């Protein structure tokens, strides 16, 4: 795994700017960036030839929340790809924004649908 532990979102942004193919900043919902525990780290994953960015945040009582984003063109085969199938024990929320597919995943023990809904908001 190429997971890089990082203490804050500025470190994450710098890492993504240096290592993603697009070199652009990935749009992240504002509420996530202001998680009580800050960032845990990030990883860049290859999936079906696409670059998927994973950023993990410490969302306090909602636990560790995983934010995935990939170019929305990855959905050309429909949303049936294995990466988007919620696993047992995961609470997920997916949406399209700025031409990207976004997905939040949290442990269903800790994160409620409302938690994810709130974290997905821009502010």
């Amino acid at each position: 795994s190429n997971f890089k532990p990082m203490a804050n979102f500025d470190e994450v942004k710098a890492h993504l700017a240096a290592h993603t193919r697009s070199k652009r900043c990935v749009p992240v919902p504002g509420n996530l960036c202001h998680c009580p525990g800050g960032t845990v780290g990030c990883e860049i994953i290859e999936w079906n030839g696409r670059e998927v960015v994973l950023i993990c945040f410490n969302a306090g009582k909602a636990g560790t929340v995983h934010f995935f984003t990939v170019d929305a063109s990855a959905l050309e085969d429909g949303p049936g790809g294995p990466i988007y199938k919620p696993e047992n024990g995961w609470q997920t929320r997916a949406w399209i924004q700025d031409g990207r597919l976004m997905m939040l995943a949290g442990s269903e023990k800790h994160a409620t649908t409302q938690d994810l809904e709130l974290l997905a908001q821009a502010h």
Side-chain angles (χ1 to χ4, degrees), residues 13-91:
K13 282 198 296 204
H15 179 76
L16 295 177
H19 296 92
T20 57
R21 287 199 291 262
S22 71
K23 307 290 180 215
R24 283 206 320 269
C25 188
V26 171
V28 174
N31 278 356
L32 261 186
C33 303
H34 301 115
C35 269
T39 52
V40 179
C42 73
E43 186 169 1
I44 299 158
I45 304 160
E46 280 288 321
W47 177 70
N48 285 359
R50 307 273 175 197
E51 193 171 66
V52 179
V53 171
L54 162 65
I55 309 172
C56 298
F57 295 87
N58 174 350
K61 68 173 177 56
T64 300
V65 174
H66 308 270
F67 174 73
F68 296 89
T69 177
V70 62
D71 194 272
S73 62
L75 280 182
E76 58 204 353
D77 312 327
I83 199 168
Y84 307 115
K85 205 175 73 198
E87 293 293 315
N88 292 342
W90 290 100
Q91 185 78 259

Side-chain angles (χ1 to χ4, degrees), residues 82-123:
I83 199 168
Y84 307 115
K85 205 175 73 198
E87 293 293 315
N88 292 342
W90 290 100
Q91 185 78 259
T92 63
R93 180 193 196 276
W95 70 103
I96 303 267
Q97 182 188 322
D98 304 329
R100 296 188 69 87
L101 173 70
M102 318 275 212
M103 189 179 88
L104 277 178
S107 150
E108 64 183 10
K109 282 195 188 73
H110 304 293
T112 64
T113 328
Q114 289 86 341
D115 289 331
L116 295 186
E117 203 52 51
L118 202 62
L119 291 168
Q121 303 311 309
H123 302 295

